[in-house]
Structure formats: structure tokens, C-alpha cells
Amino acid sequence: MSLTTSSRKQGENQPDDGASPAKPPRIKIGKSSEDSDKKGAHRRVKDVEICVPIVYGTIAFYLGRKASESQSHKWTVYVRGATNEDLGVVIKRVVFQLHPSFNNPTRVLESPPFELSECGWGEFEIGISLFFHNDICDKQLDLFHHLKLYPEDESGPQTTKKPVVVESYNEIVYPDPSENFLARVQNHPAVIVPRMPAGFNLPYPVSIESVNEREKGDTKDHPLSQWFMNFSEADELLKLAAARQQVQAHIVKLRRQLSVMDGPPPLSKQPTGYDYT
Amino acid sequence: MDAKDILGLPKNSVTQEKKSRPQKDSQRKPDGISREVYALTGGLAPLIPAIEASQLKKRPPSDEKITWQWLPFTNSARKDNLHLYHWVRIVNGVPPTGDYSFAKYNKSVDIVKYTDEEYEKYLTDPMWTKEETDQLFELCQSFDLRFIVIADRFPSSRTVEELKDRYYSVARAMLIARAPSPGDISGHPLVKEPYNVSQETERKRALSMVLSQTKQQERKDAEVLAEAKRITESRMVARGAEESELPVPSNAGPESAERAAAIPADTVSPSSNVQQHPSAAVAPSTITVDNASILASLRMLRVYLRTYALDQMVQAASSSAGLRTIKRVEQTLQELGVNLKPRVPTKAVCAEHLELRREILTLLNLQKQLQYKEAEGSSYRDGSYADTPGTPKHLSHGGDQDRTFVPDMSFAGERMGKRDQKRKAPGRLSEAPLPAHKRPRKSKAADL
């Protein structure tokens, strides 16, 4: 594979300053660096891919006594960083497309945390469109998520205490990012950037226009964070490694059998008594 | 909804259906027919009513007096002046005028007619005598250019293509000879696209070959074609990627792979056994080619999801495999306890997953090879089972392989179960050789 190996910079390793997530330092852009800024927007860094792990999904609560025919559940759909870091560094806007029976089914979120809460009674597919900042790309990324309100086992009455949580893990990959983009997000905890070769120079990070209505963009202390699922690649890696080992062993065995079969035919014409194991 | 009530199931799973139901109920059924009858049609009215409902209730206008008379008639399509009788609807004492209503259906083809002089001048041919040509044209006239029938009735044996060729070249020559100027008829289809005998013969041969292919050959062809399509697609992508300063070697790869793929396509007809090897030989080279082009095409995107990338790579890896093989790979993954789509698709997990899939494909290929070797070995010994009717039976045991897969792993690769199933095949063909069949197998087990 031609893709370079990436070293992970986990958010947990960096000291948390407790308040807002680490924002890139605001640099005063003088005239001299304007040119490099423009070039940096177009120059792309080859053989580097920026990766942003995200989790998106829904959490739905049964309203119990407060439930009515048309509003039996209160649910929230969201897109969050997999480690609950602020996604505003890459995502400019998220558009949630709800069922047409909702008022204004196209809901636009211009700043993190990218989430939306509603009340309803029906399950349907929610369209989630991610729009990225101008220095990243013009293309949007579309996801789909089925809103689940009712738990798997239908035994017993519904509880208002435990919600129905469905989350999906995915990673947004930006191949060959622009220099500006790379410079801007290099040290951000929500973003995984591979180690740069020694002596690699990037332009000064250029901060982007961001309308931050809310102070915090991360979801670390989110009220629903207790329900967030954990996605650890370790389990999956272990299972995959074990499976691969099994398959490889079986392949070796078969190869041996095949070579045994291929070997004998000329020898089988020999008179009996020839041992060809 | 009602069904659930009847079955007594709880009605708690509310689906999207409910939201769209209010809309449907508002569409009323049309009047005139009962609700159940309407429901029989599927709840949808036909676009154009077959019979106008109003017409059914209409009575004939009262000012017309209708009577029926038994009258004679003639048919202009007949040449023998035959008089027949039939019932005729008379309106107010005035019988209908006009020819027999079915006479207009007597169409015939305009066959080219030539005089003897014209024949001498334009139409002589070393392969055809004048008598034969005249006979051909007579038959064409009487059978309306239905060449299959004409070929059947033709006194000397000529193929349909030969007859067609003769007729069309004569017609074309006559057309050109009689035309006042070449420009007048240059648009005529006979002149523009003359009948091509060799092409037609070839085409019909190819058609009959396709028709007579066994199911196994069909499957092989489909696989090879899918592979070739994959290669051309990756060539397109590689060519597109080439335009933006990406390495060129990926373009050279598809070329050689396509040539190799063309070879199995040509060997479609003859032997069925050989076909496995060309496609297997092509597969390894195309795997690397597809991978490189998938990566190239991914880099062309400014942004993509890891799961999308994985799907593309998985598709590329299974492009050389048929649908059945892909299902077997998925089955194997499930047996190994691995999710078909990783739950945490990180870069490392996706890479491992892809490698695992590739290894499973290799494993399945090896198993198939082993099966073939066994089939060859046993058919070589038994002699009578070497012909094709036997082979598909052996190959169909690919399905059996799945069931014995897990026990294989736990019983350290002993393929005991498979032997029992293989015995069924010879039993089906004939009873007698069965005992003889057992002995060679037993010696084989001892070999292992």
C-alpha cells in the first residue's frame, strides 16, 4: 500500500486546560505572508492523509407519562468527534434532513456541537450532510442514519430512564490536504495527522472564519455523554488478527496437501513399495 | 396493521408506513364498482379504461333500423373469383359498400424481376446457374422472402446464407443497373449496406455456440466479462488519474492485464476444464492493478469516508470472484466471528479486514484447486467419468465445502466428510462402478 503509516496523536495525551478545547493560536497575518497563504491554499501535501474520526447517531428517550400519540419520544441526532473533541475545526456546517412530516425538515447547524433534538413517534432515515471549511474542500459528505426509538427486546413496558442509543463510527479521510489546512489542524486533538518528514515546512496556520455561537464545541461534558458508546479498535484488531492466523494456518496446510498431490504422479508409475511421504 | 391485530401481536413497532398512510386513504376508489372488486386490481385504476363504462349502457340510436341479411361477397385478394356468403348488418335497408374488410391484409413483398438480357448483362455468377437463380426467385415470390422455408424447398442444398447472398446481390445489381444515376439510390439500404455472407455465417455460429453453452461455461464467461469490465474501468480511472501528476506505471498494468483477459475470452468455446486456469492466472495480476487504481481514484476525491474506501477495496479484491465465491467469503468471515463491516473502521482495522478477505479468497481458491486435482485424479482412474456430464457434479460440491469448512479447521484439515459426499456423484450416473470407485479413494487417503 502506498499510504504512509500514521502516528496517532490522541487528545488524552495532551494536557487538558479544562476550559475550551485547544484552538490554534491566532496569528496576525502581515502582508508578507499573504502570498504564502494563497499558495498554501493551493499547494497540496502529497502522500499525507488527514483523518478525523467521528461518531454519529441518535439517542431516544421514551417520554412515559408525558407521551402523547404524536410525541411519544424525545430524541437527539448528532455528529461528534470520536474522542469528543471539537469538530468545528474541520466541519463548517451540518445539515440534518428529517422526515417531511416535520416542520422545516431541513435543519442546519452552523456551529458545533452538531446536534439536534426533536419529539416524535416514528422511526425514519435521517440524512446527515457534512460541509467542510473553505480551505478543506467544497464537496459535502453524506451519511444516513436510521432513527431507532424502540428497544430490541420488546418485552415489558418502555422505560423513561434508559434511552435507545444507536451510534456509528466512521473516519473522514482527506487525502493530499492543502498546506493551509494541514498547518491549521496539525495540533488539534480532533484530528489525526501523520508525522511529517523531518525538515518539512508548513506555512503559518491561518485561522478560519467561524461563527461560534456556543463557547464549547466539544462534547466532553455533554449532558448525554453518559450514553455515548465506546469504540475501541483494539477488540476488532485482536479478532481480526486471530482470524487471519487461523486462515493462514489453513492455507499452509492446503498448500502442503497440494504439493503432495502434485509430486507423486510421475512417481506413482513406479512399482509398489515406493514411499513418497 | 390489521394482520397484527388478528395475530394478537403488540402494535408497538411504529414504522414510517403510518406517516404515509393518511395520504393514501384520501385517494378514494372510483364509483361504479364495489370496493372489493377495486381492491382486486391492486387498488390502482388502469391508466386508460379498456371499455368506456358509459358505452355499455348505451343503446343504439332509435332512428336506425338494423336488420341482418345473408348476402354473397367477393374478396379482391383472391384471384379465383370465388363467391362466398355471409351475414351482413343492414342499416335502414342500405347494405354496406366497399371491399371485403380483410382484403387489405393481403400484403406481399415486391420481388425483383429480371429479363434474360439483364441476367446476361449483370447477374451472371460462377457459383450460380441461371436455372438455380430462376428457381430461387420463384420461391422467393411464392414464400415472401422467407428464407428458412425457401432453403427447405430449394432443390439443391444451399445454406440460408448462400441463398440470401444470391438474392440480395442480384437485387442490388438490378437496382444499380436500373437506376438513372448512382446518386439516386446511394441512400437505399441495399446499396449502402450489402449483405455480408461471412459476417452472417460467423454471427449465427456464435449465436448457436452461446445457445449451446452449458451452465458452467455461462458462469465462467460472466466471471471473465466482469473481470474485463473491471479492468477497463480501472483503466479509465488510471487514465483520469494520470492527468494529474500521478505515476504512470498503473496504466501499463491494465494493458497487460487486459490482453491476458482477452485470451480467456477467446477460449470460450472449446474445453470447459481449461477455463479455470486462465481466469486464475489473470486474477493475481488484476488484484494489484485494481488496488493501485482504487487508491488513485480515492486520492482524486477531496474527502471520503473510511468505510467507502474499504468498500471500494473489497469490491476490487472480489472483482475476479463470482457471486458464489463472494458469498462464501462472507460466510467464512461470519464463521470466524468477524463483522462483515467492521464496527470500528479505523485505518488499521480496515487494512487488517482487507488482508483477511484476501487471505480467505486465497484459501477458497486453494480449496477449489484441491478439489479439481482430486476430480482429475479420480476421473483419470475411473476413465468413464472423464466426460463433461461428470465434472459439473464434482464442481457443484463447492457448496458442500462450506458445510465442512468449520469441522475442517477443528479436525486438523482432514477432509473425511467430503469423501462421503463425493461418492454420491458416481452413484447417480450408474450403480455398477461404485464399488470399484471406493478402492482408489481409499488408497488416496493413505497417501495423505
Side-chain angles (χ1 to χ4, degrees):
Chain A
M1 290 236 214
S2 63
L3 297 172
T4 53
T5 52
S6 56
S7 66
R8 322 200 106 212
K9 289 189 183 180
Q10 297 290 340
E12 286 82 19
N13 293 341
Q14 294 186 345
D16 213 350
D17 56 6
S20 48
K23 280 202 185 119
R26 290 192 142 253
I27 306 275
K28 285 221 168 78
I29 306 166
K31 197 71 171 27
S32 56
S33 45
E34 229 179 68
D35 286 341
S36 69
D37 167 31
K38 284 214 189 87
K39 282 203 206 119
H42 297 293
R43 263 208 298 268
R44 307 205 82 90
V45 185
K46 297 274 185 295
D47 295 333
V48 163
E49 66 174 30
I50 290 182
C51 164
V52 180
I54 58 165
V55 172
Y56 60 95
T58 51
I59 296 182
F61 284 91
Y62 178 57
L63 289 174
R65 284 181 298 119
K66 298 192 197 134
S68 68
E69 265 300 311
S70 60
Q71 313 228 312
S72 57
H73 290 74
K74 180 174 192 304
W75 50 266
T76 309
V77 61
Y78 54 87
V79 181
R80 63 177 173 92
T83 47
N84 290 316
E85 296 292 348
D86 181 9
L87 287 180
V89 63
V90 289
I91 300 183
K92 174 166 73 169
R93 181 192 326 136
V94 175
V95 176
F96 292 100
Q97 188 67 37
L98 305 180
H99 192 273
S101 59
F102 281 92
N103 266 338
N104 304 322
T106 311
R107 306 280 172 96
V108 183
L109 274 293
E110 298 280 2
S111 66
F114 300 106
E115 65 179 53
L116 162 67
S117 295
E118 262 292 350
C119 291
W121 56 268
E123 299 183 337
F124 58 91
E125 189 170 71
I126 305 176
I128 307 174
S129 301
L130 309 176
F131 293 84
F132 307 104
H133 290 295
N134 300 331
D135 63 345
I136 303 179
C137 85
D138 310 324
K139 245 182 23 149
Q140 70 192 69
L141 210 55
D142 294 320
L143 306 163
F144 295 94
H145 179 87
H146 180 80
L147 169 66
K148 199 161 184 298
L149 300 178
Y150 300 93
E152 279 298 325
D153 66 357
E154 298 172 10
S155 61
Q158 296 178 69
T159 164
T160 55
K161 306 245 172 51
K162 210 160 163 260
V164 176
V165 181
V166 183
E167 285 190 328
S168 307
Y169 176 96
N170 216 320
E171 297 188 338
I172 311 177
V173 182
Y174 306 95
D176 298 342
S178 72
E179 283 188 352
N180 281 356
F181 175 34
L182 188 55
R184 183 162 65 79
V185 303
Q186 224 183 353
N187 294 313
H188 196 281
V191 179
I192 298 172
V193 173
R195 190 173 289 141
M196 295 285 118
F200 191 84
N201 288 321
L202 283 173
Y204 280 127
V206 179
S207 63
I208 33 107
E209 296 289 323
S210 57
V211 180
N212 219 339
E213 297 156 2
R214 302 168 245 206
E215 275 289 321
K216 269 162 67 78
D218 69 58
T219 44
K220 291 214 184 90
D221 299 320
H222 197 275
L224 293 172
S225 59
Q226 60 172 310
W227 305 113
F228 290 166
M229 290 161 70
N230 269 325
F231 291 93
S232 130
E233 62 168 356
D235 295 330
E236 203 128 24
L237 277 176
L238 268 172
K239 242 196 298 199
L240 283 170
R244 281 187 70 183
Q245 246 187 345
Q246 259 192 317
V247 173
Q248 280 160 5
H250 206 65
I251 288 178
V252 164
K253 216 168 292 165
L254 284 184
R255 287 223 162 101
R256 216 180 294 137
Q257 281 174 346
L258 267 174
S259 61
V260 162
M261 289 182 78
D262 281 337
L267 304 171
S268 65
K269 297 218 176 87
Q270 298 262 339
T272 54
Y274 191 95
D275 181 17
Y276 46 79
T277 29
Chain B
M1 325 341 135
D2 296 329
K4 278 210 169 173
D5 259 335
I6 294 166
L7 292 171
L9 289 175
K11 270 208 276 193
N12 54 7
S13 47
V14 178
T15 59
Q16 198 176 358
E17 301 295 299
K18 250 203 189 171
K19 286 210 192 262
S20 55
R21 229 206 285 148
Q23 285 174 332
K24 260 177 88 178
D25 276 343
S26 61
Q27 283 175 356
R28 290 191 62 231
K29 49 159 181 68
D31 313 319
I33 44 177
S34 68
R35 186 168 64 94
E36 281 84 9
V37 176
Y38 184 63
L40 277 178
T41 64
L44 277 173
L47 289 173
I48 304 164
I51 303 170
E52 279 279 314
S54 49
Q55 292 275 31
L56 293 171
K57 295 247 173 130
K58 205 167 77 165
R59 305 233 184 273
S62 45
D63 59 341
E64 285 182 1
K65 262 184 64 173
I66 309 292
T67 52
W68 289 84
Q69 278 186 22
W70 181 252
L71 294 175
F73 70 97
T74 52
N75 186 349
S76 62
R78 294 189 72 97
K79 300 181 196 93
D80 51 6
N81 218 3
L82 175 68
H83 289 266
L84 293 174
Y85 289 77
H86 64 185
W87 286 105
V88 177
R89 187 173 181 265
I90 307 283
V91 183
N92 290 341
V94 179
T97 53
D99 195 8
Y100 182 53
S101 59
F102 294 101
K104 61 181 184 276
Y105 297 114
N106 187 37
K107 301 273 188 218
S108 65
V109 186
D110 295 322
I111 306 288
V112 170
K113 297 253 185 322
Y114 52 83
T115 62
D116 289 342
E117 300 90 46
E118 283 174 323
Y119 186 88
E120 295 302 316
K121 252 169 75 172
Y122 308 109
L123 306 174
T124 50
D125 188 292
M127 302 279 292
W128 286 79
T129 64
K130 184 160 192 308
E131 292 82 37
E132 274 197 308
T133 315
D134 289 343
Q135 276 177 329
L136 170 64
F137 273 75
E138 249 177 85
L139 286 173
C140 285
Q141 175 67 44
S142 57
F143 288 114
D144 294 328
L145 284 187
R146 282 190 277 238
F147 283 102
I148 309 289
V149 181
I150 294 168
D152 209 39
R153 313 255 163 159
F154 205 70
S156 50
S157 69
R158 294 263 192 179
T159 64
V160 175
E161 288 81 35
E162 281 179 27
L163 296 173
K164 277 191 183 177
D165 184 36
R166 183 61 179 147
Y167 174 77
Y168 288 125
S169 40
V170 164
R172 188 164 186 268
M174 290 312 302
L175 205 58
I176 293 171
R178 287 179 188 163
S181 81
D184 285 345
I185 45 149
S186 56
H188 196 280
L190 260 181
V191 176
K192 265 208 307 196
E193 290 145 32
Y195 184 74
N196 187 339
V197 184
S198 47
Q199 191 185 49
E200 279 293 295
T201 330
E202 194 50 43
R203 180 180 70 90
K204 289 192 180 168
R205 189 183 74 86
L207 267 178
S208 66
M209 267 195 337
V210 171
L211 188 63
S212 55
Q213 267 186 344
T214 63
K215 250 199 218 168
Q216 185 205 350
Q217 280 174 320
E218 258 184 59
R219 207 167 50 85
K220 293 268 181 306
D221 286 345
E223 285 176 23
V224 171
L225 280 171
E227 198 182 292
K229 192 171 154 213
R230 189 94 218 160
I231 293 165
T232 45
E233 275 174 11
S234 61
R235 273 180 90 199
M236 298 292 193
V237 170
R239 211 164 269 151
E242 199 189 45
E243 284 156 20
S244 56
E245 70 216 346
L246 275 169
V248 183
S250 60
N251 214 0
E255 303 271 22
S256 55
E258 202 209 36
R259 258 181 270 125
I263 298 165
D266 286 340
T267 58
V268 150
S269 42
S271 56
S272 54
N273 291 331
V274 189
Q275 279 184 7
Q276 177 60 15
H277 301 292
S279 53
V282 174
S285 58
T286 48
I287 281 177
T288 42
V289 163
D290 284 338
N291 205 29
S293 55
I294 295 290
L295 289 176
S297 67
L298 283 174
R299 282 176 69 172
M300 292 304 295
L301 303 169
R302 283 276 178 262
V303 60
Y304 59 85
L305 283 171
R306 185 78 67 193
T307 48
Y308 170 78
L310 180 63
D311 283 342
Q312 294 288 96
M313 310 261 231
V314 165
Q315 253 194 330
S318 354
S319 61
S320 57
L323 193 59
R324 221 207 271 172
T325 319
I326 296 172
K327 287 237 149 55
R328 285 167 68 185
V329 170
E330 293 183 350
Q331 219 177 342
T332 316
L333 283 171
Q334 281 173 329
E335 286 166 1
L336 291 164
V338 170
N339 297 323
L340 285 180
K341 294 197 183 244
R343 196 177 151 259
V344 189
T346 64
K347 189 164 170 172
V349 166
C350 288
E352 283 288 302
H353 187 97
L354 195 60
E355 282 310 307
L356 178 61
R357 274 188 186 249
R358 290 205 181 115
E359 282 165 5
I360 294 176
L361 266 175
T362 313
L363 179 66
L364 293 176
N365 277 333
L366 280 175
Q367 280 175 341
K368 233 194 270 191
Q369 273 186 48
L370 211 49
Q371 256 183 318
Y372 273 120
K373 283 261 153 53
E374 283 213 331
E376 276 174 18
S378 67
S379 65
Y380 171 70
R381 273 187 215 119
D382 297 341
S384 53
Y385 301 113
D387 44 309
T388 19
T391 12
K393 274 264 104 46
H394 287 294
L395 293 177
S396 70
H397 286 307
D400 297 338
Q401 194 61 16
D402 296 341
R403 274 177 257 131
T404 58
F405 184 68
V406 171
D408 275 353
M409 306 250 259
S410 49
F411 293 128
E414 282 294 326
R415 286 174 290 110
M416 305 294 268
K418 211 164 75 94
R419 247 190 290 126
D420 290 329
Q421 280 144 348
K422 277 233 161 164
R423 255 187 236 133
K424 287 199 198 122
R428 237 184 132 258
L429 290 171
S430 67
E431 294 301 313
L434 184 54
H437 199 70
K438 275 190 194 168
R439 255 176 265 119
R441 289 223 186 269
K442 282 218 172 111
S443 62
K444 241 173 153 235
D447 295 346
L448 300 168

